[in-house]
Amino acid sequence: ASVSGNTTACASSSGGYSTAPVDAATQYLWTITGDATVTGTGTNVTVNFGPAWNGGTLCVAAQTTCYTSPAKCITIGTSAAALGAISGTFTACPNSSLTFSVPASSGAASYSWTLPAGATGSSTTNSINVNFGPTFNAGGNICVSVTSICGITSAPKCKTVAPGTPSVPASITGITNGVCGQN
């Protein structure tokens, strides 16, 4: 039905992977692409990732004495899973505090946040509390990147945070002359 195990693996390491038993299967055929080898033919195997490992696909098929099923596969890489969207309130008043976050990324070791001018905060997790100081009046981007357990850093994911100041009204309409003594 599926392959279970970590989708982030580093070079020169090993990891356990498994699949649910299939009725009548006598063994399982495991294959992997890239610089890695699979040890075992049952529902639980060990994958040994070589020194040149930079990603690949692990697949398993159920076998009987006369038939091999279609394979189920997972992709394993050295990067953490792609970052999801940043959530939070994207209108911030000066002298306020807001929390922003991204869904946890599998294979992540740490997160790095960058903040717009006039904002402060620090975090290495998937959530950050940001203090917007009195000088926050021009807006800017809040960005986050993730570093995997293998030391690979993703491209940043950004969202614009605007100050909570209202816009200047566009114009005033109405009669502009001949209004003496009128409402």
Side-chain angles (χ1 to χ4, degrees):
S2 64
V3 177
S4 299
N6 290 330
T7 57
T8 303
C10 304
S12 301
S13 69
S14 63
Y17 293 85
S18 63
T19 189
V22 174
D23 288 340
T26 56
Q27 68 179 14
Y28 298 84
L29 175 64
W30 292 86
T31 58
I32 191 163
T33 60
D35 182 28
T37 57
V38 179
T39 304
T41 58
T43 57
N44 296 298
V45 297
T46 299
V47 176
N48 297 304
F49 302 98
W53 171 258
N54 62 5
T57 303
L58 175 66
C59 298
V60 62
Q63 291 185 311
T64 64
T65 54
C66 58
Y67 183 76
T68 300
S69 74
K72 284 289 185 172
C73 303
I74 63 169
T75 300
I76 305 169
T78 55
S79 301
L83 287 170
I86 299 173
S87 62
T89 302
F90 298 103
T91 301
C93 295
N95 299 312
S96 67
S97 180
L98 297 172
T99 299
F100 300 91
S101 64
V102 291
S105 175
S106 66
S110 66
Y111 299 80
S112 177
W113 294 86
T114 57
L115 305 174
T120 59
S122 178
S123 175
T124 57
T125 69
N126 65 317
S127 178
I128 187 170
N129 188 44
V130 179
N131 296 307
F132 294 91
T135 61
F136 180 74
N137 55 17
N141 286 334
I142 182 168
C143 299
V144 62
S145 59
V146 61
T147 300
S148 75
I149 57 174
C150 303
I152 307 297
T153 301
S154 72
K157 172 85 68 166
C158 298
K159 185 74 176 178
T160 300
V161 179
T165 55
S167 299
V168 174
S171 62
I172 299 172
T173 59
I175 302 169
T176 58
N177 56 22
V179 292
C180 294
Q182 299 181 30
N183 291 329

